[in-house]
Each structure stands twice: as structure tokens, then as C-alpha cells.
Amino acid sequence: MRRWLLALMAVLSALGLGAAPVTATSQVLGHDLCHAVTPADAQSVPLPAFQCRGQPDNYQQASLWLRADLTTPGIDRHDLTLMMHNSRFDHLRVGFLYTDGQLHWQQIATGRFGAHWRAGGQIVFSAPHRDAPLQAMVLRFDRLTHYEYLRLRLLGGDEASQQATVLATAVGGALLLLLLGALYNASLAVAVRRQFPAWQAAWAACMVVWGLFWSQLVLLVTPEVAGAPSAQICTALACLAITLATQSALTTLSRDHLPQLPRRITMALGLGVGLIGVPLSLMRSGAIAQWAVVLDVLTLSTLLAVAVCLTLAWRRGSGEARAFAGAWIVPMAALASTQFLDMDTLLWGGGAQLLVLLAAAWQTLWLSVAATHRFARIRLERDRARQAAASAQDLARRDPLTALRNRRGFIEKAEAMLDISRRDGSPLALLLLDVDKFKAINDTHGHEAGDQVLCTLAARLARWDGAVCTVARFGGEEFAAMVSGLSGNPLLHFAENMREGLAQCDHGKAVGTVTVSVGLAQAERPETFQSLYRRADEALYQAKRQGRNRVMVAHIEPPTMESQLILPEGLTAV
């Protein structure tokens, strides 16, 4: 856990959260400003009569005027900047009123923010520098969706620049982490063919798009979405992100660890958040505040349901639930805190949105690491299983006493060598070797001594085992060797060297010298292993009949075999 905390501190530091706080004085404008409402169609009207009590009403299809007194102590009336969070309105005019009676206006409109926007969803208006100090500030919103959603702050010019820089750094770092997480999880989903990383990639990608619209970085490419369009798109994407995150959490929990009822309830809640985001994102007037309350309740209910699912799966032994809990605890706390705490003054004006963006970056980072560990463990277990299966298959083809191939393993290898010989025409031969008078060894010295003799002979035979020669214990005291690339006299000399090498094995004074008889058959084309074995076995039988400890060659072409092969001294053709 300590390592994760250190990693979190490093990430937050990289995102700018470790920066020193700004010391300049700033003032948050609350929702108790003097206000007035006039028809929205009036292009140029004198300042209306402001009312400083109560809350404004009937302004969604009209013009809402706000007035802030700037004579409050602590405000630098010669260097002042207004920073506000983007909201839904058609047109905004900001007027700076000086003590000499001059009123300087600045304005923006939907799709035309000009140079007034900043990363982090901020809109900035700087008062012109004049000798006369500022007296008041007037704002006129045309067709504002909701007055209570406005977040206005007054700062000094230097402080506003510093906060904008830090906010842009934090947003850029969080978006970069989310983008990398989306790409990584997408590639992971393709590699492992699992649903969880695919849903996680979709969620991270949705958060990247949401972050681009909320932070207004998208205005670098499409400035026409500035204002209400980007705010509406953000609402829809935020609701979709909750739906995707819920699905991501549920897909990582197996049915053995999570019952169907809580799974379905949580899925329905997450889907409900996504659906309610559609009408809420399209609304410009009406009961938007009531719909927002419904969305808040659904969001908190979804978070609670996900927490219940993770707890149930954790108690049932789900390792994925434990990993997911560490990833979800930060976003859960962030989203929950936005419902109960005032975030307007936090995180350099980024407020709840920046907190959620940073929490999402933390979540995707945690889940990417957790998924990597999880699938690495699965791959390791799979590789071990494959290795065990391959080892079991190899053991099934090995003689347990001598560790040479057994009959099954030898036949499979021999048939493969026969196929190669048929294709490229290379020579191939089968040698059958049988221990002479082995029954007498067992009867005289015991089966343990007989087993030792077989192991000694097998160890010597293993020296020939390789790319061109495959050896095996074929059964009982019989061994076999399949030799490729040799024919005629070289093959016969090879068989004789093998027989002599086995006869030189040291079996101890009690047992003495042990010899073998060899039956040799060179493969014809076409020929099956069964026919090749039958001819080699006949040659071995003749070697036994003619006195043992010798090599006998089966005829390849019976009428001319002896005329075609020049046999070394002591070798006989059958």
C-alpha cells in the first residue's frame, strides 16, 4: 500500500498539485449580487435598476444583469481579472466601471470566445489599466440556463496568469494519463480478448473527450463549439462515462463472486445515469435544477451500488474486487465530495470537474497496472499449464526406467522421419537391438541387476540420439534406432560401431560383458513403419539364430541385395 501512496504522490506532483499555493488575494463572487432582468432582444440598453435582495427569476429567455461592487477592501482596483467557469448562455457582456464614470465593455458569444478562454473551462476578462480605479463590474447574460451554476472569481492579473498556467498543466497531465490508459487498455483487450479492458478503454476514451470539451482545449480545433454547445456535450459525456465505468467494474467480477441481483441493479442504475444525461444535456431552460438533483441521486446510488458489489465480491474471495476497490475509492470519494462540499475555490478554479478528472486519471493508472498484473499472472499460469501439459506428453512418450523414448514416442518420431524421407528422397534405416541372454541375467543376478544393465545400455545409446538418429527402448530388453542420411557401407559400419560400443559397456564384474544382436532394415519408397519394422525384426531374428552379437541386414531388393551391398567382414545379409 505504501508503494501505491508514493506513486499517487508522484503523479499528483507531476500534475501540478504539489505546486505552492498562490498567495495573492482573490475573491469569490457569491449568488447574492445585485441583479436585474431585461428583454433579451435589446441590443443596447442603459444600465437597468438593480435589485440587491432575493434571487433573480424569469431570466432563461431574457437578459440577466449582475452588478458587483469593487470597493471592498483587499481588492486591487487597478489590476483586476474576472475568471468564470464556462456555462450555458448565448451571449455575455462584461463591463468595468471606473470612478471617473467610464464603462469599458468586453463580450463573448456562443461559438465566439476569441482570446477569453483558458484551459480548465475558464473564461477570463481583464480590466483595462487606467489611472482611475475600478468602482464596479457589470455582467449581462443573454438566455442563461441557471444562475446558481455560475462560478465567478476576482483575482489580480499575475495571480490569474499563474492559476491558468497551473490549471492547464494539471489538465494536460491528467488527459495524457487518460489517453495512454485508453490506448493501453484497448491494446490489452485485443491481446487477451477480454471484456474488462475493452470497457476500461472505452471509459478512459470517454473521459479524454469529456476533458477536452470541459477544459475547452477542443477550441483549438473547433472554436465554434465554445460556450453552451461544449457545456451540453460535457453533460452527456459525463453521464456516459459513469455508465461505462459501472459496466467496467461489473465485467471484471465473475458470476461466482457476484450474485445476479446486485449485478442487475447496479447495471440498471448505471444505464439510468447514461439515459438521463440525454435530456439534461439538451435542456436550455425549464426545470434543469430538478433534473440535476435526480442525476445527483442516481449518481450517488450507482456509486453505492458499485461499492456494494465490490464488497460482496471481495468477501467471496475475488482478487479482482480487491484491485478494483483501490482504483474506485479515489473517484468515489471525489464524486461524493462534489455533492456535499463547495468546490468552487479549490484547484485553481477547476473545482469539481478538475477533481473528477484527476481522480479518473488515478483510476485508469491503477486499473492499467492491476490489469497488467492480473493478465500477467493468468499468462504465467497458462504458460505453466502448457509446460506441464507438454511435460506430461513428453513423459507419456518416455520410458520411465531409461528415460529414452518409449514405443509410442519412437513410432511417432519414426513416422515423421519417414514422411521427410518420402518428400526429399533421403535414405532412412531402422535398427532393432536386442540384449543377448537377458533372461539369464535376470535369473542369475536378479531383476534389479537386469534393470541396471538396461540403464547402462540406454545411457550409451543416448550418445547417438540427435538430429540424424533417434533411439528408444522399444520394450523389454529391445531397443531401436532410426537413422537418416546413411545407406550402404556407411550405414553398415554405423550399425557395427553401435553394436561394438554397447558391448564395451561396464556392467561390473558380477555381470560381465553384455552383447546385443542387431537387425537392420533400410527403408524402401514407399514403405510404412509397420513393414519396415517387420523386415528389421526378421533380420534380428536371424541374428539371434546365427549366434547373437552380430548385425543382420534385411533385403531391400531380394533378388539383388547381396550383389548391391558390399558387407564388412563378419556381417551377413538375410
Side-chain angles (χ1 to χ4, degrees):
M1 188 63 183
R2 184 180 178 184
R3 289 180 299 172
W4 287 111
L5 292 176
L6 292 175
L8 175 60
M9 292 172 61
V11 171
L12 297 182
S13 177
L15 295 178
L17 295 181
V22 179
T23 58
T25 303
S26 63
Q27 179 176 339
V28 177
L29 301 180
H31 297 121
D32 55 353
L33 301 176
C34 298
H35 56 272
V37 177
T38 62
D41 296 332
Q43 295 297 321
S44 178
V45 297
L47 294 181
F50 288 93
Q51 179 180 351
C52 298
R53 294 183 179 180
Q55 296 291 318
D57 196 10
N58 299 322
Y59 55 82
Q60 291 180 334
Q61 299 298 329
S63 294
L64 173 64
W65 295 74
L66 301 176
R67 178 186 174 99
D69 183 14
L70 301 182
T71 60
T72 305
I75 295 179
D76 186 352
R77 298 164 61 189
H78 292 277
D79 182 19
L80 195 65
T81 298
L82 169 68
M83 292 188 73
M84 63 170 289
H85 199 277
N86 183 32
S87 188
R88 302 185 192 183
F89 54 82
D90 286 351
H91 197 277
L92 170 61
R93 296 175 179 87
V94 178
F96 294 99
L97 180 62
Y98 293 84
T99 55
D100 59 2
Q102 293 292 322
L103 182 60
H104 182 83
W105 288 99
Q106 300 177 21
Q107 63 180 344
I108 60 173
T110 294
R112 300 192 308 273
F113 274 14
H116 290 282
W117 69 271
R118 298 291 185 273
Q122 302 296 309
I123 306 172
V124 176
F125 298 91
S126 297
H129 293 281
R130 300 181 72 247
D131 294 335
L134 286 165
Q135 178 179 349
M137 180 178 63
V138 180
L139 298 90
R140 175 184 172 178
F141 293 92
D142 293 343
R143 295 183 176 86
L144 177 66
T145 299
H146 205 287
Y147 168 64
E148 293 185 358
Y149 291 163
L150 290 177
R151 287 157 48 187
L152 308 172
R153 295 184 303 140
L154 294 176
L155 305 92
D158 292 339
E159 183 181 7
S161 298
Q162 292 176 15
Q163 290 199 14
T165 301
V166 174
L167 190 58
T169 303
V171 170
L175 289 178
L176 179 60
L177 286 178
L178 283 168
L179 179 60
L180 293 176
L183 296 175
Y184 175 76
N185 281 280
S187 62
L188 192 63
V190 174
V192 302
R193 300 181 183 276
R194 299 293 182 93
Q195 289 190 32
F196 160 66
W199 284 108
Q200 180 65 18
W203 169 81
C206 183
M207 289 300 298
V208 169
V209 178
W210 173 83
L212 290 173
F213 277 93
W214 165 76
S215 67
Q216 302 183 126
L217 291 176
V218 72
L219 301 186
L220 293 171
V221 180
T222 55
E224 60 272 9
V225 300
S230 62
Q232 291 174 282
I233 292 173
C234 283
T235 300
L237 289 174
C239 296
L240 177 61
I242 294 176
T243 302
L244 294 174
T246 303
Q247 188 66 25
S248 173
L250 294 177
T251 53
T252 193
L253 304 176
S254 67
R255 295 184 178 181
D256 295 335
H257 294 134
L258 181 62
Q260 282 295 327
L261 181 60
R263 182 187 296 272
R264 291 175 179 175
I265 292 175
T266 306
M267 190 176 297
L269 289 172
L271 184 60
V273 173
L275 292 177
I276 201 174
V278 176
L280 193 58
S281 64
L282 298 175
M283 294 179 66
R284 291 294 307 274
S285 61
I288 188 171
Q290 289 76 8
W291 279 97
V293 171
V294 175
L295 178 61
D296 290 343
V297 171
L298 272 178
T299 300
L300 290 175
S301 300
T302 303
L303 293 176
L304 180 61
V306 171
V308 170
C309 290
L310 293 176
T311 302
L312 290 175
W314 191 333
R315 296 184 62 180
R316 294 188 175 201
S318 172
E320 292 79 7
R322 288 190 291 270
F324 225 98
W328 268 77
I329 189 170
V330 174
M332 282 181 175
L335 284 175
S337 64
T338 62
Q339 307 300 320
F340 304 106
L341 300 177
D342 183 10
M343 297 288 177
D344 290 348
T345 60
L346 297 181
L347 301 176
W348 311 282
Q353 288 85 348
L354 181 58
L355 182 63
V356 171
L357 186 64
L358 295 176
W362 163 254
Q363 182 181 17
T364 193
L365 185 65
W366 181 293
L367 289 179
S368 297
V369 174
T372 301
H373 280 290
R374 176 187 174 190
F375 291 122
R377 186 173 65 253
I378 292 175
R379 173 171 291 184
L380 180 60
E381 292 174 353
R382 182 195 64 188
D383 293 343
R384 287 176 177 174
R386 288 180 175 177
Q387 185 177 4
S391 178
Q393 290 182 356
D394 186 64
L395 289 175
R397 290 160 175 79
R398 291 282 174 179
D399 174 54
L401 177 63
T402 63
L404 295 179
R405 288 182 177 83
N406 58 17
R407 186 185 189 94
R408 176 183 176 183
F410 181 77
I411 292 177
E412 290 179 355
K413 182 67 174 179
E415 288 181 342
M417 296 174 72
L418 279 168
D419 290 338
I420 296 174
S421 177
R422 295 187 193 102
R423 289 196 300 268
D424 59 17
S426 59
L428 193 66
L430 173 64
L431 285 74
L432 293 182
L433 306 91
D434 190 83
V435 182
D436 296 331
K437 299 180 180 180
F438 185 72
K439 185 176 182 301
I441 297 174
N442 279 335
D443 293 342
T444 304
H445 304 284
H447 288 280
E448 185 176 352
D451 290 346
Q452 186 59 45
V453 168
L454 294 177
C455 290
T456 302
L457 295 174
R460 180 61 62 90
L461 275 174
R463 298 180 182 179
W464 284 287
D465 192 60
V468 297
C469 180
T470 299
V471 300
R473 182 189 177 194
F474 214 62
E477 68 272 20
E478 186 173 271
F479 296 90
M482 195 71 140
V483 182
S484 63
L486 296 178
S487 62
N489 283 336
L491 174 62
L492 297 174
H493 282 295
F494 178 85
E496 181 63 22
N497 289 336
M498 183 176 286
R499 179 191 67 81
E500 292 178 353
L502 294 175
Q504 294 172 1
C505 290
D506 183 9
H507 302 284
K509 294 182 179 180
V511 176
T513 301
V514 177
T515 62
V516 297
S517 299
V518 182
L520 170 62
Q522 188 165 345
E524 299 176 337
R525 292 185 298 273
E527 186 169 18
T528 63
F529 177 79
Q530 288 76 11
S531 63
L532 182 63
Y533 173 77
R534 184 169 54 253
R535 293 194 296 112
D537 191 53
E538 291 173 357
L540 176 62
Y541 178 72
Q542 292 298 326
K544 291 287 189 180
R545 289 187 61 185
Q546 294 189 23
R548 302 182 179 86
N549 191 23
R550 65 187 61 228
V551 177
M552 296 296 293
V553 183
H555 287 296
I556 297 178
E557 296 177 0
T560 60
M561 176 62 187
E562 290 184 304
S563 63
Q564 291 179 354
L565 291 179
I566 302 175
L567 303 181
E569 184 178 353
L571 301 182
T572 311
V574 179

Coordinates of all heavy atoms in Angstrom, one line a residue, residues 238-247 250 261-277 294-309 328:
A238 N -20.3 13.1 -19.5 CA -20.1 12.8 -18.1 C -21.0 11.6 -17.7 O -20.6 10.7 -17.0 CB -20.3 14.0 -17.2
C239 N -22.3 11.7 -18.1 CA -23.2 10.6 -17.8 C -22.8 9.3 -18.5 O -22.9 8.2 -17.9 CB -24.6 11.1 -18.2 SG -25.3 12.5 -17.3
L240 N -22.4 9.4 -19.7 CA -21.9 8.2 -20.4 C -20.7 7.6 -19.7 O -20.6 6.4 -19.7 CB -21.6 8.6 -21.9 CG -21.0 7.4 -22.8 CD1 -22.0 6.3 -22.9 CD2 -20.6 7.9 -24.1
A241 N -19.8 8.4 -19.2 CA -18.6 7.9 -18.6 C -19.0 7.1 -17.3 O -18.4 6.1 -17.0 CB -17.7 9.1 -18.2
I242 N -20.0 7.6 -16.6 CA -20.5 6.8 -15.4 C -21.0 5.5 -15.8 O -20.8 4.4 -15.2 CB -21.5 7.7 -14.6 CG1 -20.8 8.9 -14.0 CG2 -22.1 6.8 -13.5 CD1 -21.8 9.8 -13.3
T243 N -21.8 5.4 -16.9 CA -22.3 4.2 -17.4 C -21.2 3.2 -17.8 O -21.2 2.0 -17.4 CB -23.2 4.4 -18.6 OG1 -24.3 5.3 -18.2 CG2 -23.8 3.1 -19.1
L244 N -20.2 3.7 -18.5 CA -19.1 2.9 -18.9 C -18.3 2.4 -17.7 O -17.8 1.2 -17.7 CB -18.2 3.6 -19.9 CG -18.9 4.0 -21.3 CD1 -17.9 4.9 -22.1 CD2 -19.2 2.7 -22.0
A245 N -18.0 3.3 -16.8 CA -17.3 2.9 -15.6 C -18.0 1.8 -14.8 O -17.4 0.9 -14.3 CB -17.0 4.1 -14.7
T246 N -19.3 1.9 -14.7 CA -20.1 0.9 -14.0 C -20.0 -0.4 -14.7 O -19.8 -1.5 -14.1 CB -21.6 1.3 -13.9 OG1 -21.6 2.6 -13.3 CG2 -22.4 0.3 -13.1
Q247 N -20.1 -0.4 -16.0 CA -20.0 -1.7 -16.8 C -18.6 -2.3 -16.7 O -18.4 -3.5 -16.6 CB -20.3 -1.4 -18.3 CG -20.4 -2.6 -19.1 CD -21.6 -3.5 -18.7 OE1 -22.6 -3.0 -18.2 NE2 -21.5 -4.8 -19.0
L250 N -18.4 -4.1 -13.4 CA -19.2 -5.3 -13.3 C -18.6 -6.4 -14.1 O -18.6 -7.6 -13.7 CB -20.6 -5.0 -13.7 CG -21.4 -4.1 -12.9 CD1 -22.8 -3.9 -13.5 CD2 -21.6 -4.7 -11.5
L261 N -28.6 -10.5 -8.7 CA -29.5 -9.4 -8.3 C -28.7 -8.1 -8.1 O -29.1 -7.1 -8.8 CB -30.2 -9.8 -7.0 CG -31.2 -8.7 -6.5 CD1 -32.2 -8.4 -7.6 CD2 -31.8 -9.2 -5.2
P262 N -27.6 -8.1 -7.3 CA -26.9 -6.8 -7.2 C -26.3 -6.4 -8.5 O -26.1 -5.2 -8.8 CB -25.9 -7.1 -6.1 CG -25.8 -8.5 -6.0 CD -27.1 -9.1 -6.4
R263 N -25.9 -7.4 -9.4 CA -25.3 -7.0 -10.6 C -26.3 -6.3 -11.5 O -26.0 -5.3 -12.2 CB -24.8 -8.3 -11.3 CG -24.1 -8.0 -12.7 CD -23.8 -9.3 -13.4 NE -22.8 -10.1 -12.6 CZ -21.5 -10.0 -12.8 NH1 -21.0 -9.2 -13.6 NH2 -20.7 -10.8 -12.1
R264 N -27.5 -6.8 -11.6 CA -28.5 -6.2 -12.4 C -29.0 -4.9 -11.9 O -29.2 -3.9 -12.7 CB -29.7 -7.2 -12.5 CG -29.4 -8.5 -13.3 CD -30.6 -9.4 -13.3 NE -30.3 -10.6 -14.1 CZ -31.1 -11.7 -14.1 NH1 -32.3 -11.7 -13.5 NH2 -30.8 -12.7 -14.9
I265 N -29.1 -4.7 -10.6 CA -29.5 -3.4 -10.0 C -28.4 -2.4 -10.3 O -28.8 -1.3 -10.8 CB -29.7 -3.6 -8.5 CG1 -30.9 -4.4 -8.2 CG2 -29.8 -2.2 -7.9 CD1 -31.1 -4.7 -6.7
T266 N -27.2 -2.7 -10.1 CA -26.1 -1.8 -10.4 C -26.1 -1.4 -11.9 O -25.9 -0.2 -12.3 CB -24.8 -2.4 -10.0 OG1 -24.8 -2.7 -8.6 CG2 -23.6 -1.3 -10.1
M267 N -26.2 -2.4 -12.8 CA -26.2 -2.1 -14.2 C -27.4 -1.2 -14.6 O -27.2 -0.3 -15.4 CB -26.3 -3.5 -15.0 CG -26.1 -3.3 -16.5 SD -26.1 -4.9 -17.3 CE -24.7 -5.7 -16.5
A268 N -28.6 -1.4 -14.0 CA -29.7 -0.6 -14.3 C -29.5 0.8 -13.8 O -29.8 1.8 -14.5 CB -31.0 -1.2 -13.6
L269 N -28.9 1.0 -12.7 CA -28.6 2.4 -12.2 C -27.6 3.1 -13.1 O -27.7 4.3 -13.4 CB -28.0 2.3 -10.7 CG -29.0 1.9 -9.7 CD1 -28.3 1.7 -8.3 CD2 -30.1 3.0 -9.5
G270 N -26.5 2.4 -13.5 CA -25.5 3.0 -14.4 C -26.2 3.3 -15.7 O -25.9 4.4 -16.3
L271 N -27.0 2.5 -16.2 CA -27.7 2.8 -17.5 C -28.7 4.0 -17.3 O -28.8 4.8 -18.2 CB -28.5 1.5 -18.0 CG -29.2 1.7 -19.3 CD1 -28.2 1.9 -20.4 CD2 -30.0 0.4 -19.6
G272 N -29.3 4.1 -16.1 CA -30.2 5.2 -15.9 C -29.4 6.5 -15.9 O -30.0 7.5 -16.4
V273 N -28.2 6.5 -15.4 CA -27.4 7.8 -15.4 C -27.1 8.2 -16.9 O -27.2 9.3 -17.2 CB -26.1 7.6 -14.6 CG1 -25.2 8.8 -14.8 CG2 -26.4 7.4 -13.1
G274 N -26.8 7.2 -17.7 CA -26.5 7.5 -19.1 C -27.7 8.0 -19.8 O -27.6 8.9 -20.6
L275 N -28.9 7.4 -19.5 CA -30.1 7.8 -20.2 C -30.6 9.2 -19.8 O -31.0 10.0 -20.6 CB -31.2 6.8 -20.0 CG -31.0 5.4 -20.6 CD1 -32.1 4.5 -20.2 CD2 -30.9 5.5 -22.1
I276 N -30.5 9.5 -18.5 CA -30.9 10.8 -18.1 C -30.0 11.9 -18.5 O -30.4 13.1 -18.6 CB -31.0 10.8 -16.5 CG1 -32.0 12.0 -16.1 CG2 -29.7 11.0 -15.9 CD1 -32.2 12.0 -14.6
G277 N -28.8 11.6 -18.9 CA -27.9 12.6 -19.4 C -28.3 13.1 -20.8 O -27.9 14.2 -21.2
V294 N -32.1 14.9 -9.7 CA -32.3 13.4 -10.0 C -31.0 12.8 -10.4 O -30.7 11.6 -10.0 CB -33.4 13.3 -11.1 CG1 -33.5 11.9 -11.5 CG2 -34.7 13.9 -10.6
L295 N -30.2 13.5 -11.2 CA -29.0 12.9 -11.7 C -28.0 12.7 -10.5 O -27.3 11.7 -10.5 CB -28.3 13.9 -12.7 CG -27.0 13.4 -13.3 CD1 -27.1 12.1 -14.0 CD2 -26.4 14.5 -14.3
D296 N -28.0 13.7 -9.6 CA -27.1 13.5 -8.5 C -27.5 12.3 -7.6 O -26.6 11.5 -7.2 CB -27.2 14.8 -7.6 CG -26.5 16.0 -8.3 OD1 -25.7 15.8 -9.2 OD2 -26.8 17.1 -7.8
V297 N -28.8 12.1 -7.4 CA -29.2 10.9 -6.7 C -28.9 9.6 -7.4 O -28.4 8.7 -6.7 CB -30.8 11.0 -6.4 CG1 -31.3 9.7 -5.8 CG2 -31.1 12.2 -5.5
L298 N -29.1 9.6 -8.7 CA -28.8 8.4 -9.4 C -27.2 8.1 -9.4 O -26.8 7.0 -9.3 CB -29.2 8.5 -10.9 CG -30.7 8.1 -11.2 CD1 -31.0 8.3 -12.6 CD2 -30.9 6.6 -10.8
T299 N -26.5 9.2 -9.5 CA -25.0 9.0 -9.5 C -24.5 8.5 -8.2 O -23.7 7.5 -8.1 CB -24.3 10.4 -9.8 OG1 -24.7 10.8 -11.1 CG2 -22.8 10.2 -9.8
L300 N -25.0 9.0 -7.1 CA -24.6 8.5 -5.7 C -25.1 7.1 -5.5 O -24.4 6.3 -4.9 CB -25.2 9.5 -4.7 CG -24.5 10.8 -4.6 CD1 -25.2 11.7 -3.5 CD2 -23.1 10.7 -4.2
S301 N -26.3 6.8 -6.0 CA -26.9 5.4 -5.9 C -26.0 4.4 -6.7 O -25.8 3.3 -6.2 CB -28.3 5.4 -6.4 OG -29.1 6.3 -5.6
T302 N -25.6 4.9 -7.9 CA -24.7 4.0 -8.7 C -23.4 3.7 -8.0 O -22.9 2.6 -7.9 CB -24.4 4.6 -10.0 OG1 -25.7 4.9 -10.7 CG2 -23.6 3.7 -10.9
L303 N -22.8 4.8 -7.4 CA -21.5 4.6 -6.7 C -21.7 3.7 -5.5 O -20.9 2.8 -5.2 CB -21.0 6.0 -6.2 CG -20.6 7.0 -7.3 CD1 -20.2 8.3 -6.6 CD2 -19.4 6.4 -8.0
L304 N -22.8 3.9 -4.8 CA -23.1 3.0 -3.6 C -23.3 1.6 -4.1 O -22.8 0.6 -3.4 CB -24.3 3.5 -2.9 CG -24.7 2.7 -1.6 CD1 -23.6 2.7 -0.6 CD2 -26.0 3.3 -1.0
A305 N -24.0 1.4 -5.2 CA -24.2 0.0 -5.7 C -22.9 -0.7 -6.1 O -22.7 -1.9 -5.9 CB -25.2 0.0 -6.8
V306 N -22.1 0.1 -6.8 CA -20.8 -0.5 -7.2 C -19.9 -0.8 -5.9 O -19.3 -1.9 -5.9 CB -20.0 0.6 -8.0 CG1 -18.6 0.1 -8.3 CG2 -20.7 0.7 -9.4
A307 N -20.0 0.0 -4.9 CA -19.3 -0.3 -3.7 C -19.8 -1.6 -3.0 O -19.0 -2.4 -2.5 CB -19.4 0.9 -2.7
V308 N -21.1 -1.8 -3.1 CA -21.7 -3.0 -2.5 C -21.3 -4.2 -3.3 O -20.9 -5.2 -2.7 CB -23.3 -2.9 -2.5 CG1 -23.9 -4.2 -2.2 CG2 -23.7 -1.8 -1.5
C309 N -21.3 -4.1 -4.6 CA -20.8 -5.2 -5.5 C -19.4 -5.6 -5.2 O -19.0 -6.8 -5.1 CB -21.0 -4.9 -7.0 SG -22.7 -4.8 -7.5
W328 N -11.3 2.4 -7.4 CA -12.6 3.1 -7.3 C -12.7 4.0 -6.1 O -13.5 4.9 -6.1 CB -13.7 2.1 -7.3 CG -14.2 1.8 -8.7 CD1 -13.7 1.0 -9.6 CD2 -15.4 2.4 -9.3 NE1 -14.4 1.0 -10.7 CE2 -15.5 1.8 -10.6 CE3 -16.4 3.2 -8.8 CZ2 -16.5 2.2 -11.4 CZ3 -17.4 3.6 -9.7 CH2 -17.5 3.0 -11.0

